[in-house]
């Protein structure tokens, strides 16, 4: 099956759907925020229990 071509409605070319900048931003927030929170929580647990500092803030 081939991809649909751009449609013409009342003489106007309507392009196919695409992901906008706002969509990319929401996707990054939706996927990135939980990863950051879980990663920081794991780093904090390791630092409290084992005394290892493995977070980004330890490189400063």
């Amino acid at each position: 099956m081939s991809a649909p071509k751009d449609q013409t409605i009342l003489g106007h070319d309507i392009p196919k759907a695409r992901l906008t900048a706002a969509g990319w931003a929401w996707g990054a927030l939706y996927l990135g925020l939980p990863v950051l929170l879980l990663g920081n929580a794991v780093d904090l647990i390791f630092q409290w229990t084992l005394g290892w500092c493995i977070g980004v803030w330890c490189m400063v």
Side-chain angles (χ1 to χ4, degrees):
M1 185 177 223
S2 64
K5 296 180 180 178
D6 292 345
Q7 295 180 0
T8 302
I9 298 177
L10 296 175
H12 295 281
D13 291 331
I14 307 297
K16 60 183 179 178
R18 62 181 177 87
L19 195 56
T20 62
W24 282 107
W26 278 111
L29 182 69
Y30 182 75
L31 297 173
L33 187 61
V35 170
L36 287 173
L37 291 176
L38 288 174
N40 285 330
V42 169
D43 291 342
L44 185 62
I45 289 169
F46 268 100
Q47 190 172 357
W48 277 352
T49 58
L50 301 174
W52 300 345
C53 189
I54 57 175
V56 175
W57 51 86
C58 298
M59 296 179 195
V60 180

Short mmCIF file of all heavy atoms in Angstrom, two decimals:
data_model
loop_
_atom_site.label_atom_id
_atom_site.label_comp_id
_atom_site.label_asym_id
_atom_site.label_seq_id
_atom_site.Cartn_x
_atom_site.Cartn_y
_atom_site.Cartn_z
N MET A 1 0.84 -1.16 0.00
CA MET A 1 0.00 0.00 0.00
C MET A 1 0.89 1.24 0.00
O MET A 1 1.81 1.35 0.79
CB MET A 1 -0.89 -0.04 1.24
CG MET A 1 -1.89 1.05 1.29
SD MET A 1 -2.92 0.84 2.76
CE MET A 1 -4.47 1.20 2.05
N SER A 2 0.65 2.17 -0.84
CA SER A 2 1.48 3.36 -0.94
C SER A 2 1.01 4.42 0.05
O SER A 2 -0.12 4.41 0.53
CB SER A 2 1.41 3.92 -2.37
OG SER A 2 0.10 4.34 -2.66
N ALA A 3 1.91 5.35 0.35
CA ALA A 3 1.59 6.44 1.26
C ALA A 3 0.61 7.40 0.59
O ALA A 3 0.69 7.63 -0.61
CB ALA A 3 2.87 7.17 1.65
N PRO A 4 -0.30 7.96 1.38
CA PRO A 4 -1.26 8.89 0.78
C PRO A 4 -0.57 10.17 0.32
O PRO A 4 0.35 10.66 0.97
CB PRO A 4 -2.24 9.16 1.91
CG PRO A 4 -1.52 8.83 3.16
CD PRO A 4 -0.53 7.76 2.80
N LYS A 5 -1.02 10.69 -0.80
CA LYS A 5 -0.47 11.93 -1.32
C LYS A 5 -1.12 13.11 -0.62
O LYS A 5 -2.12 12.97 0.07
CB LYS A 5 -0.72 12.02 -2.83
CG LYS A 5 -0.03 10.94 -3.63
CD LYS A 5 -0.33 11.11 -5.10
CE LYS A 5 0.37 10.04 -5.91
NZ LYS A 5 0.06 10.13 -7.33
N ASP A 6 -0.55 14.29 -0.82
CA ASP A 6 -1.17 15.50 -0.29
C ASP A 6 -2.53 15.68 -0.95
O ASP A 6 -2.70 15.45 -2.14
CB ASP A 6 -0.30 16.72 -0.57
CG ASP A 6 1.00 16.68 0.23
OD1 ASP A 6 1.09 15.89 1.18
OD2 ASP A 6 1.91 17.46 -0.10
N GLN A 7 -3.50 16.10 -0.16
CA GLN A 7 -4.85 16.26 -0.67
C GLN A 7 -5.08 17.70 -1.12
O GLN A 7 -4.44 18.62 -0.64
CB GLN A 7 -5.87 15.92 0.41
CG GLN A 7 -5.82 14.48 0.84
CD GLN A 7 -6.87 14.20 1.92
OE1 GLN A 7 -7.60 15.08 2.32
NE2 GLN A 7 -6.91 12.96 2.37
N THR A 8 -6.00 17.84 -2.04
CA THR A 8 -6.42 19.17 -2.46
C THR A 8 -7.87 19.33 -2.06
O THR A 8 -8.73 18.55 -2.47
CB THR A 8 -6.28 19.33 -3.98
OG1 THR A 8 -4.92 19.10 -4.33
CG2 THR A 8 -6.67 20.72 -4.42
N ILE A 9 -8.15 20.34 -1.23
CA ILE A 9 -9.51 20.62 -0.79
C ILE A 9 -9.83 22.06 -1.17
O ILE A 9 -9.18 23.00 -0.71
CB ILE A 9 -9.66 20.42 0.73
CG1 ILE A 9 -9.37 18.96 1.07
CG2 ILE A 9 -11.05 20.83 1.19
CD1 ILE A 9 -9.41 18.65 2.54
N LEU A 10 -10.83 22.20 -2.04
CA LEU A 10 -11.24 23.52 -2.54
C LEU A 10 -10.06 24.31 -3.09
O LEU A 10 -9.93 25.51 -2.88
CB LEU A 10 -11.95 24.32 -1.45
CG LEU A 10 -13.26 23.75 -0.93
CD1 LEU A 10 -13.78 24.59 0.22
CD2 LEU A 10 -14.30 23.66 -2.03
N GLY A 11 -9.16 23.63 -3.75
CA GLY A 11 -8.02 24.28 -4.38
C GLY A 11 -6.82 24.50 -3.48
O GLY A 11 -5.80 24.99 -3.93
N HIS A 12 -6.92 24.17 -2.21
CA HIS A 12 -5.81 24.33 -1.27
C HIS A 12 -5.13 22.99 -1.06
O HIS A 12 -5.79 21.98 -0.84
CB HIS A 12 -6.31 24.86 0.08
CG HIS A 12 -6.89 26.23 0.01
ND1 HIS A 12 -6.12 27.37 -0.04
CD2 HIS A 12 -8.18 26.65 -0.03
CE1 HIS A 12 -6.91 28.43 -0.10
NE2 HIS A 12 -8.17 28.02 -0.10
N ASP A 13 -3.80 22.99 -1.10
CA ASP A 13 -3.04 21.77 -0.85
C ASP A 13 -2.94 21.56 0.65
O ASP A 13 -2.43 22.41 1.38
CB ASP A 13 -1.64 21.88 -1.45
CG ASP A 13 -1.67 21.87 -2.97
OD1 ASP A 13 -2.59 21.28 -3.53
OD2 ASP A 13 -0.77 22.48 -3.58
N ILE A 14 -3.42 20.42 1.12
CA ILE A 14 -3.39 20.08 2.54
C ILE A 14 -2.31 19.01 2.73
O ILE A 14 -2.44 17.89 2.27
CB ILE A 14 -4.75 19.53 3.01
CG1 ILE A 14 -5.88 20.48 2.65
CG2 ILE A 14 -4.71 19.24 4.51
CD1 ILE A 14 -5.78 21.82 3.31
N PRO A 15 -1.20 19.36 3.40
CA PRO A 15 -0.14 18.36 3.61
C PRO A 15 -0.57 17.30 4.63
O PRO A 15 -1.50 17.52 5.41
CB PRO A 15 1.03 19.19 4.15
CG PRO A 15 0.41 20.39 4.75
CD PRO A 15 -0.86 20.65 3.98
N LYS A 16 0.12 16.16 4.61
CA LYS A 16 -0.21 15.10 5.56
C LYS A 16 0.22 15.52 6.97
O LYS A 16 0.99 16.46 7.15
CB LYS A 16 0.43 13.79 5.16
CG LYS A 16 1.93 13.81 5.08
CD LYS A 16 2.45 12.48 4.60
CE LYS A 16 3.96 12.53 4.50
NZ LYS A 16 4.51 11.27 4.08
N ALA A 17 -0.28 14.82 7.96
CA ALA A 17 -0.01 15.15 9.36
C ALA A 17 1.47 15.00 9.68
O ALA A 17 2.15 14.12 9.14
CB ALA A 17 -0.84 14.26 10.27
N ARG A 18 1.95 15.85 10.57
CA ARG A 18 3.34 15.78 11.00
C ARG A 18 3.41 16.22 12.46
O ARG A 18 2.49 16.84 12.98
CB ARG A 18 4.24 16.67 10.15
CG ARG A 18 3.89 18.13 10.23
CD ARG A 18 4.79 18.98 9.33
NE ARG A 18 4.39 20.36 9.39
CZ ARG A 18 4.80 21.23 10.29
NH1 ARG A 18 5.64 20.85 11.22
NH2 ARG A 18 4.39 22.47 10.28
N LEU A 19 4.50 15.88 13.12
CA LEU A 19 4.69 16.23 14.52
C LEU A 19 5.27 17.64 14.59
O LEU A 19 6.29 17.94 13.98
CB LEU A 19 5.62 15.23 15.19
CG LEU A 19 5.67 15.24 16.70
CD1 LEU A 19 4.28 15.02 17.29
CD2 LEU A 19 6.59 14.15 17.19
N THR A 20 4.62 18.51 15.35
CA THR A 20 5.05 19.90 15.46
C THR A 20 6.10 20.04 16.57
O THR A 20 6.39 19.10 17.30
CB THR A 20 3.85 20.80 15.79
OG1 THR A 20 3.32 20.40 17.04
CG2 THR A 20 2.78 20.70 14.72
N ALA A 21 6.63 21.25 16.70
CA ALA A 21 7.61 21.53 17.76
C ALA A 21 6.99 21.33 19.14
O ALA A 21 7.64 20.81 20.05
CB ALA A 21 8.16 22.94 17.61
N ALA A 22 5.74 21.74 19.29
CA ALA A 22 5.06 21.54 20.57
C ALA A 22 4.89 20.05 20.86
O ALA A 22 5.01 19.60 22.01
CB ALA A 22 3.71 22.23 20.58
N GLY A 23 4.63 19.27 19.84
CA GLY A 23 4.51 17.82 20.02
C GLY A 23 5.83 17.19 20.45
O GLY A 23 5.86 16.32 21.32
N TRP A 24 6.92 17.63 19.84
CA TRP A 24 8.25 17.15 20.23
C TRP A 24 8.55 17.54 21.68
O TRP A 24 9.10 16.75 22.45
CB TRP A 24 9.33 17.70 19.31
CG TRP A 24 9.41 17.00 18.00
CD1 TRP A 24 9.01 17.47 16.79
CD2 TRP A 24 9.92 15.69 17.75
NE1 TRP A 24 9.23 16.55 15.81
CE2 TRP A 24 9.79 15.44 16.37
CE3 TRP A 24 10.45 14.69 18.56
CZ2 TRP A 24 10.19 14.24 15.79
CZ3 TRP A 24 10.85 13.50 17.97
CH2 TRP A 24 10.72 13.29 16.61
N ALA A 25 8.21 18.77 22.06
CA ALA A 25 8.47 19.23 23.42
C ALA A 25 7.66 18.42 24.44
O ALA A 25 8.19 18.00 25.47
CB ALA A 25 8.13 20.72 23.55
N TRP A 26 6.37 18.20 24.17
CA TRP A 26 5.55 17.40 25.08
C TRP A 26 6.06 15.97 25.14
O TRP A 26 6.05 15.34 26.21
CB TRP A 26 4.08 17.42 24.66
CG TRP A 26 3.37 18.64 25.14
CD1 TRP A 26 2.91 19.67 24.39
CD2 TRP A 26 3.05 18.96 26.49
NE1 TRP A 26 2.33 20.61 25.19
CE2 TRP A 26 2.40 20.21 26.49
CE3 TRP A 26 3.25 18.33 27.70
CZ2 TRP A 26 1.95 20.82 27.65
CZ3 TRP A 26 2.81 18.94 28.87
CH2 TRP A 26 2.16 20.17 28.83
N GLY A 27 6.49 15.41 24.01
CA GLY A 27 7.05 14.06 24.01
C GLY A 27 8.31 13.96 24.84
O GLY A 27 8.50 13.01 25.60
N ALA A 28 9.18 14.95 24.70
CA ALA A 28 10.42 14.96 25.49
C ALA A 28 10.11 15.09 26.98
O ALA A 28 10.74 14.44 27.81
CB ALA A 28 11.33 16.10 25.03
N LEU A 29 9.15 15.94 27.32
CA LEU A 29 8.76 16.10 28.71
C LEU A 29 8.12 14.82 29.25
O LEU A 29 8.44 14.37 30.35
CB LEU A 29 7.79 17.27 28.85
CG LEU A 29 7.33 17.62 30.25
CD1 LEU A 29 8.49 18.19 31.05
CD2 LEU A 29 6.19 18.61 30.20
N TYR A 30 7.25 14.22 28.47
CA TYR A 30 6.53 13.02 28.89
C TYR A 30 7.48 11.83 29.07
O TYR A 30 7.31 11.02 29.98
CB TYR A 30 5.47 12.68 27.84
CG TYR A 30 4.62 11.49 28.18
CD1 TYR A 30 3.62 11.57 29.14
CD2 TYR A 30 4.80 10.27 27.53
CE1 TYR A 30 2.83 10.48 29.45
CE2 TYR A 30 4.02 9.18 27.83
CZ TYR A 30 3.04 9.29 28.79
OH TYR A 30 2.27 8.20 29.09
N LEU A 31 8.49 11.73 28.22
CA LEU A 31 9.43 10.62 28.32
C LEU A 31 10.66 10.95 29.17
O LEU A 31 11.20 10.09 29.85
CB LEU A 31 9.89 10.19 26.92
CG LEU A 31 8.78 9.65 26.01
CD1 LEU A 31 9.32 9.41 24.61
CD2 LEU A 31 8.18 8.38 26.58
N GLY A 32 11.10 12.19 29.10
CA GLY A 32 12.34 12.57 29.78
C GLY A 32 12.19 12.83 31.26
O GLY A 32 13.09 12.50 32.05
N LEU A 33 11.09 13.44 31.67
CA LEU A 33 10.92 13.78 33.08
C LEU A 33 10.91 12.55 33.99
O LEU A 33 11.62 12.54 35.01
CB LEU A 33 9.66 14.61 33.27
CG LEU A 33 9.44 15.19 34.65
CD1 LEU A 33 10.57 16.12 35.05
CD2 LEU A 33 8.11 15.92 34.72
N PRO A 34 10.18 11.49 33.67
CA PRO A 34 10.24 10.30 34.54
C PRO A 34 11.64 9.68 34.59
O PRO A 34 12.07 9.21 35.65
CB PRO A 34 9.24 9.33 33.91
CG PRO A 34 8.32 10.17 33.13
CD PRO A 34 9.13 11.33 32.65
N VAL A 35 12.36 9.69 33.49
CA VAL A 35 13.71 9.13 33.47
C VAL A 35 14.62 9.95 34.39
O VAL A 35 15.41 9.40 35.16
CB VAL A 35 14.26 9.08 32.03
CG1 VAL A 35 15.74 8.76 32.01
CG2 VAL A 35 13.48 8.09 31.21
N LEU A 36 14.51 11.28 34.31
CA LEU A 36 15.32 12.13 35.18
C LEU A 36 14.97 11.92 36.66
O LEU A 36 15.86 11.83 37.50
CB LEU A 36 15.12 13.60 34.80
CG LEU A 36 15.78 14.06 33.52
CD1 LEU A 36 15.36 15.48 33.19
CD2 LEU A 36 17.28 13.97 33.64
N LEU A 37 13.69 11.84 36.96
CA LEU A 37 13.28 11.67 38.35
C LEU A 37 13.72 10.32 38.91
O LEU A 37 14.23 10.24 40.03
CB LEU A 37 11.76 11.82 38.48
CG LEU A 37 11.22 13.23 38.24
CD1 LEU A 37 9.70 13.22 38.31
CD2 LEU A 37 11.79 14.20 39.24
N LEU A 38 13.53 9.26 38.14
CA LEU A 38 13.95 7.93 38.61
C LEU A 38 15.47 7.84 38.74
O LEU A 38 15.99 7.25 39.69
CB LEU A 38 13.44 6.85 37.66
CG LEU A 38 11.93 6.59 37.72
CD1 LEU A 38 11.52 5.61 36.63
CD2 LEU A 38 11.53 6.06 39.08
N GLY A 39 16.19 8.41 37.78
CA GLY A 39 17.65 8.40 37.85
C GLY A 39 18.17 9.14 39.05
O GLY A 39 19.09 8.68 39.74
N ASN A 40 17.59 10.30 39.33
CA ASN A 40 18.01 11.06 40.52
C ASN A 40 17.66 10.32 41.79
O ASN A 40 18.42 10.36 42.77
CB ASN A 40 17.39 12.45 40.50
CG ASN A 40 18.07 13.35 39.51
OD1 ASN A 40 19.25 13.21 39.24
ND2 ASN A 40 17.32 14.28 38.96
N ALA A 41 16.51 9.66 41.83
CA ALA A 41 16.13 8.90 43.01
C ALA A 41 17.10 7.75 43.26
O ALA A 41 17.52 7.51 44.39
CB ALA A 41 14.71 8.38 42.87
N VAL A 42 17.49 7.04 42.20
CA VAL A 42 18.45 5.94 42.35
C VAL A 42 19.80 6.48 42.81
O VAL A 42 20.45 5.90 43.69
CB VAL A 42 18.58 5.16 41.03
CG1 VAL A 42 19.76 4.21 41.06
CG2 VAL A 42 17.30 4.42 40.73
N ASP A 43 20.24 7.61 42.25
CA ASP A 43 21.50 8.21 42.68
C ASP A 43 21.45 8.59 44.15
O ASP A 43 22.42 8.36 44.90
CB ASP A 43 21.81 9.46 41.85
CG ASP A 43 22.15 9.14 40.42
OD1 ASP A 43 22.50 7.97 40.14
OD2 ASP A 43 22.08 10.05 39.57
N LEU A 44 20.34 9.16 44.59
CA LEU A 44 20.20 9.56 45.98
C LEU A 44 20.22 8.34 46.91
O LEU A 44 20.86 8.36 47.96
CB LEU A 44 18.91 10.34 46.17
CG LEU A 44 18.67 10.94 47.54
CD1 LEU A 44 19.75 11.96 47.88
CD2 LEU A 44 17.29 11.58 47.59
N ILE A 45 19.55 7.26 46.51
CA ILE A 45 19.53 6.05 47.33
C ILE A 45 20.93 5.46 47.45
O ILE A 45 21.36 5.06 48.54
CB ILE A 45 18.53 5.03 46.74
CG1 ILE A 45 17.10 5.53 46.96
CG2 ILE A 45 18.71 3.65 47.36
CD1 ILE A 45 16.05 4.74 46.20
N PHE A 46 21.67 5.40 46.35
CA PHE A 46 23.04 4.89 46.40
C PHE A 46 23.91 5.76 47.29
O PHE A 46 24.74 5.26 48.05
CB PHE A 46 23.65 4.83 44.99
CG PHE A 46 23.45 3.52 44.31
CD1 PHE A 46 22.45 3.36 43.37
CD2 PHE A 46 24.26 2.44 44.59
CE1 PHE A 46 22.26 2.16 42.74
CE2 PHE A 46 24.09 1.23 43.96
CZ PHE A 46 23.07 1.08 43.03
N GLN A 47 23.73 7.07 47.20
CA GLN A 47 24.55 7.97 48.01
C GLN A 47 24.25 7.80 49.49
O GLN A 47 25.16 7.79 50.31
CB GLN A 47 24.32 9.41 47.57
CG GLN A 47 25.29 10.38 48.19
CD GLN A 47 25.17 11.77 47.59
OE1 GLN A 47 24.39 11.99 46.67
NE2 GLN A 47 25.95 12.70 48.09
N TRP A 48 22.99 7.65 49.84
CA TRP A 48 22.62 7.48 51.25
C TRP A 48 23.03 6.13 51.80
O TRP A 48 23.49 6.02 52.92
CB TRP A 48 21.13 7.65 51.43
CG TRP A 48 20.68 9.07 51.53
CD1 TRP A 48 21.47 10.18 51.63
CD2 TRP A 48 19.34 9.53 51.55
NE1 TRP A 48 20.70 11.30 51.69
CE2 TRP A 48 19.38 10.93 51.65
CE3 TRP A 48 18.11 8.91 51.47
CZ2 TRP A 48 18.23 11.71 51.69
CZ3 TRP A 48 16.97 9.69 51.51
CH2 TRP A 48 17.03 11.08 51.62
N THR A 49 22.85 5.06 51.02
CA THR A 49 23.10 3.71 51.55
C THR A 49 24.56 3.29 51.45
O THR A 49 25.10 2.72 52.40
CB THR A 49 22.23 2.67 50.83
OG1 THR A 49 22.50 2.72 49.43
CG2 THR A 49 20.75 2.94 51.08
N LEU A 50 25.19 3.54 50.32
CA LEU A 50 26.55 3.05 50.11
C LEU A 50 27.63 4.12 50.22
O LEU A 50 28.81 3.80 50.28
CB LEU A 50 26.64 2.38 48.73
CG LEU A 50 25.69 1.20 48.50
CD1 LEU A 50 25.78 0.73 47.07
CD2 LEU A 50 26.00 0.07 49.46
N GLY A 51 27.22 5.38 50.20
CA GLY A 51 28.20 6.45 50.27
C GLY A 51 28.84 6.77 48.94
O GLY A 51 29.80 7.52 48.89
N TRP A 52 28.34 6.17 47.87
CA TRP A 52 28.88 6.45 46.53
C TRP A 52 28.15 7.63 45.93
O TRP A 52 26.92 7.69 45.95
CB TRP A 52 28.69 5.27 45.58
CG TRP A 52 29.33 4.00 45.99
CD1 TRP A 52 30.28 3.82 46.94
CD2 TRP A 52 29.04 2.71 45.46
NE1 TRP A 52 30.60 2.50 47.03
CE2 TRP A 52 29.86 1.80 46.13
CE3 TRP A 52 28.18 2.25 44.49
CZ2 TRP A 52 29.84 0.45 45.85
CZ3 TRP A 52 28.15 0.90 44.21
CH2 TRP A 52 28.98 0.01 44.88
N CYS A 53 28.87 8.54 45.38
CA CYS A 53 28.26 9.67 44.69
C CYS A 53 28.40 9.41 43.20
O CYS A 53 29.48 9.49 42.63
CB CYS A 53 28.96 10.97 45.09
SG CYS A 53 28.12 12.43 44.49
N ILE A 54 27.28 9.04 42.56
CA ILE A 54 27.32 8.70 41.15
C ILE A 54 26.48 9.66 40.30
O ILE A 54 26.29 9.46 39.12
CB ILE A 54 26.83 7.25 40.90
CG1 ILE A 54 25.43 7.06 41.46
CG2 ILE A 54 27.80 6.27 41.50
CD1 ILE A 54 24.83 5.70 41.16
N GLY A 55 25.98 10.71 40.92
CA GLY A 55 25.15 11.67 40.20
C GLY A 55 25.96 12.65 39.39
O GLY A 55 27.19 12.76 39.51
N VAL A 56 25.30 13.41 38.54
CA VAL A 56 25.96 14.42 37.72
C VAL A 56 26.57 15.50 38.60
O VAL A 56 27.64 16.02 38.30
CB VAL A 56 24.95 15.03 36.73
CG1 VAL A 56 25.57 16.16 35.95
CG2 VAL A 56 24.40 13.97 35.80
N TRP A 57 25.93 15.82 39.72
CA TRP A 57 26.43 16.86 40.61
C TRP A 57 27.76 16.49 41.26
O TRP A 57 28.43 17.34 41.79
CB TRP A 57 25.40 17.19 41.68
CG TRP A 57 24.91 15.97 42.40
CD1 TRP A 57 25.47 15.37 43.46
CD2 TRP A 57 23.77 15.20 42.04
NE1 TRP A 57 24.75 14.26 43.81
CE2 TRP A 57 23.70 14.14 42.96
CE3 TRP A 57 22.80 15.29 41.07
CZ2 TRP A 57 22.70 13.18 42.90
CZ3 TRP A 57 21.81 14.35 41.02
CH2 TRP A 57 21.76 13.31 41.93
N CYS A 58 28.17 15.22 41.23
CA CYS A 58 29.45 14.80 41.81
C CYS A 58 30.63 15.16 40.92
O CYS A 58 31.77 15.13 41.37
CB CYS A 58 29.45 13.28 42.02
SG CYS A 58 28.16 12.75 43.15
N MET A 59 30.38 15.49 39.68
CA MET A 59 31.46 15.82 38.74
C MET A 59 31.89 17.27 38.86
O MET A 59 32.84 17.68 38.25
CB MET A 59 31.01 15.54 37.31
CG MET A 59 30.73 14.10 37.04
SD MET A 59 30.18 13.90 35.35
CE MET A 59 29.53 12.26 35.42
N VAL A 60 31.17 18.04 39.63
CA VAL A 60 31.48 19.47 39.76
C VAL A 60 32.60 19.69 40.73
O VAL A 60 32.77 19.05 41.70
CB VAL A 60 30.21 20.25 40.21
CG1 VAL A 60 30.52 21.72 40.35
CG2 VAL A 60 29.10 20.02 39.22
#
